[in-house]
Amino acid sequence: MGFVLARFQYLDLYGRFCPSVPAENGSTGTPGNCYWVRNFPRCRVGMMLHLATVLPAGFLAVFQFTPIIRHRFCLYHRIAGYVIIVPIICSNAGAIMVANIAIGGDLPTQTFVGFLSIATIVTFGLALYNIKRLQIDQHRAWMLHTWFYIGLIINLRVIQVMVASISSIWPDATRYDVMTCDELEFIYRNATQVYSDFPACRPGYGNFTSDGHVVVKAHLGGEGGPNNAALEVSFAATGFLALILHAIGVEIYLRLTPREGERLRKLSYEVQLKKRMKNPGSAGLVVERIGDADVWRPLEIMESPSHSTADSPGWIENMGIKKGEVYEK
């Protein structure tokens, strides 16, 4: 929640995210990013679309995982869940629009952005499919996957600073970035300094560049180009590392909360039974439908008060179940 609230200020695209002179301490967008955002309409629209949708979605998601809201305000939980669909899709569209320039925009970065966008859409779609099938336990599992993946941006920032710092002080880890001369002039705001540090950018020296691109040594804490290069060359690697850590983390969390998963599966059984669905308790995308797991069967579900639908007041009523109603598969 704190991370999301702190970044709502970035909706002021030219005032806070990309001011005329972007900061190099992380309080604004990176100078390299801001060059593209301020000078190219597609990048500006894509970045604004991404920020204006992912931040509200993240804000709403916090309440979606608050137990008291899920149990006592089930209708709100359902409505907010559907409302979040559009921002998630739009935020991914905005991210893809700027993938070729975001934090360097190299091929690994584009691959990371594309893979993360596909992963969040697929897991979100599986969560929606399962809740339409009233498979509440699988809905919970896939929705956790979605937000674990989206939330990696927080740990990505921390890991990125660590990796960039190590590559700056460890000689064997030195990295180089490729930037345009126009981008460097925007970052330095001093053409004389650019021509001094990168002679190939001088007028008439175009033959010494490759389509106006020059090599910049990455060094976090350096001035201008090297500092920006350190963040760009480390982004894709830290992004995939954060994705792996979060993918492992969500699986560990699900394995550590089997009682909650079982409780929700028994609740799914009751709801699906009342709907007269086939295979109650397993009407959604469960492992035994595609794997070799044993068929799940409820044990004393109606006799055990700890597994009664009374533990989740309002769930069945808010599913729109009516007496004698038959659900067509």
Side-chain angles (χ1 to χ4, degrees):
M1 175 64 82
F3 182 87
V4 172
L5 292 177
R7 276 146 185 80
F8 266 110
Q9 62 179 321
Y10 289 165
L11 294 178
D12 181 7
L13 199 64
Y14 284 164
R16 295 296 303 172
F17 185 70
C18 283
S20 57
V21 182
E24 295 184 5
N25 59 4
S27 60
T28 66
T30 63
N33 264 3
C34 290
Y35 163 75
W36 297 98
V37 169
R38 294 186 68 91
N39 291 284
F40 298 90
R42 175 179 63 83
C43 303
R44 181 165 55 250
V45 171
M47 186 63 70
M48 191 62 200
L49 177 63
H50 177 66
L51 293 173
T53 51
V54 75
L55 291 175
F59 179 80
L60 290 174
V62 174
F63 299 101
Q64 292 296 87
F65 289 98
T66 304
I68 191 172
I69 292 179
R70 294 201 315 272
H71 293 167
R72 294 180 178 273
F73 304 97
C74 304
L75 183 59
Y76 166 81
H77 180 80
R78 294 180 64 203
I79 293 174
Y82 285 111
V83 168
I84 291 175
I85 295 175
V86 174
I88 288 294
I89 295 174
C90 291
S91 67
N92 282 331
I96 292 173
M97 287 177 66
V98 298
N100 67 323
I101 60 93
I103 319 295
D106 55 9
L107 186 59
T109 296
Q110 295 180 51
T111 303
F112 168 67
V113 173
F115 183 85
L116 183 60
S117 298
I118 293 172
T120 53
I121 290 296
V122 169
T123 53
F124 200 86
L126 289 172
L128 289 177
Y129 171 79
N130 278 287
I131 200 60
K132 297 299 287 186
R133 299 292 298 167
L134 307 181
Q135 196 69 45
I136 305 168
D137 58 312
Q138 289 301 309
H139 170 73
R140 165 184 175 261
W142 287 112
M143 199 58 79
L144 282 170
H145 279 87
T146 300
W147 288 103
F148 262 73
Y149 296 158
I150 294 175
L152 66 81
I153 188 64
I154 300 174
N155 285 329
L156 184 153
R157 298 296 180 87
V158 177
I159 300 172
Q160 185 180 23
V161 173
M162 295 170 59
V163 172
S165 299
I166 293 172
S167 65
S168 298
I169 62 177
W170 188 16
D172 292 340
T174 301
R175 292 292 181 268
Y176 296 87
D177 192 20
V178 177
M179 302 173 67
T180 67
C181 293
D182 291 339
E183 188 176 351
L184 288 169
E185 289 187 23
F186 176 86
I187 293 172
Y188 281 98
R189 301 289 175 172
N190 186 333
T192 302
Q193 185 175 357
V194 173
Y195 300 157
S196 175
D197 294 347
F198 307 96
C201 288
R202 292 177 180 176
Y205 283 69
N207 291 335
F208 295 96
T209 68
S210 179
D211 297 328
H213 291 74
V214 294
V215 176
V216 183
K217 183 178 180 179
H219 180 75
L220 190 66
E223 183 180 357
N227 189 78
N228 189 82
L231 297 175
E232 290 187 352
V233 297
S234 60
F235 179 77
T238 55
F240 276 114
L241 180 57
L243 178 59
I244 292 171
L245 292 176
H246 278 240
I248 295 173
V250 68
E251 297 301 333
I252 291 175
Y253 178 79
L254 290 172
R255 298 306 184 275
L256 292 177
T257 54
R259 293 179 63 184
E260 177 65 7
E262 184 66 12
R263 183 186 74 84
L264 291 177
R265 185 152 195 186
K266 290 176 179 178
L267 178 60
S268 301
Y269 170 84
E270 295 185 30
V271 174
Q272 293 167 8
L273 190 64
K274 285 181 176 290
K275 277 281 192 176
R276 298 185 181 180
M277 298 174 70
K278 282 188 176 182
N279 304 316
S282 303
L285 189 62
V286 293
V287 65
E288 54 264 34
R289 292 187 62 179
I290 56 178
D292 62 352
D294 294 330
V295 177
W296 181 87
R297 292 184 176 85
L299 298 176
E300 303 178 348
I301 182 171
M302 303 308 293
E303 290 77 11
S304 176
S306 63
H307 297 139
S308 171
T309 53
D311 289 344
S312 303
W315 260 109
I316 292 181
E317 291 78 0
N318 281 292
M319 289 294 179
I321 298 172
K322 299 178 183 179
K323 186 176 180 180
E325 185 177 8
V326 178
Y327 186 92
E328 295 183 358
K329 185 175 180 181

